[in-house]
C-alpha cells in the first residue's frame, strides 16, 4: 500500500512529517507502480482486442477491474499481473488466441495435467509473454472465480448467475465486462481466504474498503447475507468485513 499511502500523505499535505529517506522510498514505490500499471494497461488492450476479434466475452478480475473502478490514480493500486475470466466453453479458443500473440503456459503450471483435467478440476491457467522491453507479462486465464482447489470444493458460487449479473465496462477505451459489486465483494473475500491474509492483505483490504465506499448504495445488506449463505462464504465474508 506504499503508493496509496504516498498519495494520501500528499493529499493531506503531510509529507513533511516523514524522514526524507522514508519519503523517497514511498515516492519511488508510487512511480514504479505508475510505470508498471501503464505497461499492464497497454498489454490488457492487446489481450482484450485479440479476444474480442475471436468473439470471446471477458470479465476483468482483480486489479485490471478494480483500478479503473475504485481508484482515481493509476499508480495507487499496484498490479502484479493480469486476471481475466472467460466462460468454460470458450477456454480452448481463448488459449488459442493468446497463443497467437505470444502467450505460453507459465513454467509454474504443472505440465503433467492435460487440458481436459484442468477444465474439470482446475479453475485457471497461468500464461506468460515476453514483451519488447524484455519484461515478462503474466496473465491468469480464469474460468472459475478461484483456482484454489480446496476453496472450490467448499464454496458454492453460481457461475451462471455471476455472468448474468456482470455488466459491460469500457476500461481505458477497451470493452470488457466486470463483476457486479456483490460478486466483486465475494471474489475479494475468497482471494483473501486463498492467501490466508498473508503478504499483500492490506492492499486487498483497501480494495474491499474502496468497494464498500464507492458502491455503498448498491450493496444491499440482506442480499449480501443471502448470497454469502448460499455460497457458503458467510464466515469468511464476516471475517473480512470485521
Amino acid at each position: 500500500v506504499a503508493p496509496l499511502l504516498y498519495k494520501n500523505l500528499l493529499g493531506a499535505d503531510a509529507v513533511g512529517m516523514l524522514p526524507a529517506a522514508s519519503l523517497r522510498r514511498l515516492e519511488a514505490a508510487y512511480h514504479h507502480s505508475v510505470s508498471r500499471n501503464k505497461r499492464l494497461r497497454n498489454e490488457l488492450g492487446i489481450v482484450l482486442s485479440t479476444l474480442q476479434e475471436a468473439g470471446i466475452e471477458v470479465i476483468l478480475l482483480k486489479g485490471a477491474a478494480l483500478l479503473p473502478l475504485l481508484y482515481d490514480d493509476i499508480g495507487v493500486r499496484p498490479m502484479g499481473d493480469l486476471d481475466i475470466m472467460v466462460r468454460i466453453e470458450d477456454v480452448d479458443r481463448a488459449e488459442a488466441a493468446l497463443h497467437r500473440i505470444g502467450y505460453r503456459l507459465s513454467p509454474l503450471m504443472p505440465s503433467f495435467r492435460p487440458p481436459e483435467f484442468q477444465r474439470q478440476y482446475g479453475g485457471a491457467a497461468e500464461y506468460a509473454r515476453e514483451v519488447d522491453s524484455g519484461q515478462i507479462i503474466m496473465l491468469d486465464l480464469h474460468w472459475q472465480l478461484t483456482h484454489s482447489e480446496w476453496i472450490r470444493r467448499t464454496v458454492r458460487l453460481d457461475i451462471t448467475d455471476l455472468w448474468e449479473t456482470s455488466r459491460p465496462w469500457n476500461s481505458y477505451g477497451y470493452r470488457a465486462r466486470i463483476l457486479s459489486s456483490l460478486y466483486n465483494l465475494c471474489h475479494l473475500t475468497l482471494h483473501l481466504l486463498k492467501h490466508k491474509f498473508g503478504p499483500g492483505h492490506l492492499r486487498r483490504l483497501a480494495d474491499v474498503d474502496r468497494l464498500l465506499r464507492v458502491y455503498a448504495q448498491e450493496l444491499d445488506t440482506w442480499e449480501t447475507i443471502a448470497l454469502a449463505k448460499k455460497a457458503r462464504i458467510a464466515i469468511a465474508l464476516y471475517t473480512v468485513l470485521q
Side-chain angles (χ1 to χ4, degrees), residues 91-92 95 105-127 143 146-150 152-153 194:
V91 174
D92 288 337
E95 288 182 332
L105 277 173
S106 166
L108 300 176
M109 285 293 295
S111 58
F112 59 87
R113 293 181 177 175
E116 294 80 7
F117 183 92
Q118 280 292 100
R119 300 294 182 276
Q120 182 72 22
Y121 300 105
E126 187 175 63
Y127 291 82
W143 52 93
T146 176
H147 57 283
S148 174
E149 186 174 356
W150 73 271
R152 285 188 296 101
R153 287 181 176 273
K194 172 190 170 186

Side-chain angles (χ1 to χ4, degrees), residues 53-133:
E53 289 173 5
I56 299 170
E57 281 195 306
V58 172
I59 291 178
L60 302 181
L61 298 176
K62 295 166 57 177
L66 299 177
L67 186 55
L69 274 176
L70 305 180
Y71 298 93
D72 56 3
D73 186 310
I74 194 171
V76 296
R77 203 283 186 186
M79 290 196 296
D81 57 8
L82 297 173
D83 287 84
I84 61 174
M85 185 176 183
V86 300
R87 293 180 175 87
I88 190 168
E89 59 267 26
D90 290 333
V91 174
D92 288 337
R93 292 193 301 125
E95 288 182 332
L98 291 173
H99 196 272
R100 287 196 293 272
I101 58 174
Y103 277 95
R104 300 292 182 268
L105 277 173
S106 166
L108 300 176
M109 285 293 295
S111 58
F112 59 87
R113 293 181 177 175
E116 294 80 7
F117 183 92
Q118 280 292 100
R119 300 294 182 276
Q120 182 72 22
Y121 300 105
E126 187 175 63
Y127 291 82
R129 183 171 94 91
E130 185 174 341
V131 294
D132 294 339
S133 59

Side-chain angles (χ1 to χ4, degrees), residues 182-217:
L182 182 50
Y183 274 110
N184 242 329
L185 180 60
C186 291
H187 185 222
L188 292 171
T189 295
L190 292 177
H191 204 59
L192 277 157
L193 192 63
K194 172 190 170 186
H195 290 285
K196 304 177 180 68
F197 291 85
H201 79 278
L202 287 179
R203 181 181 65 190
R204 298 179 188 108
L205 287 174
D207 288 339
V208 172
D209 178 69
R210 285 294 180 104
L211 181 70
L212 294 175
R213 293 173 187 272
V214 173
Y215 291 98
Q217 301 302 316

Side-chain angles (χ1 to χ4, degrees), residues 168-187:
W169 176 252
N170 191 313
S171 177
Y172 301 116
Y174 310 130
R175 285 188 294 165
R177 302 189 72 81
I178 56 169
L179 296 172
S180 69
S181 54
L182 182 50
Y183 274 110
N184 242 329
L185 180 60
C186 291
H187 185 222

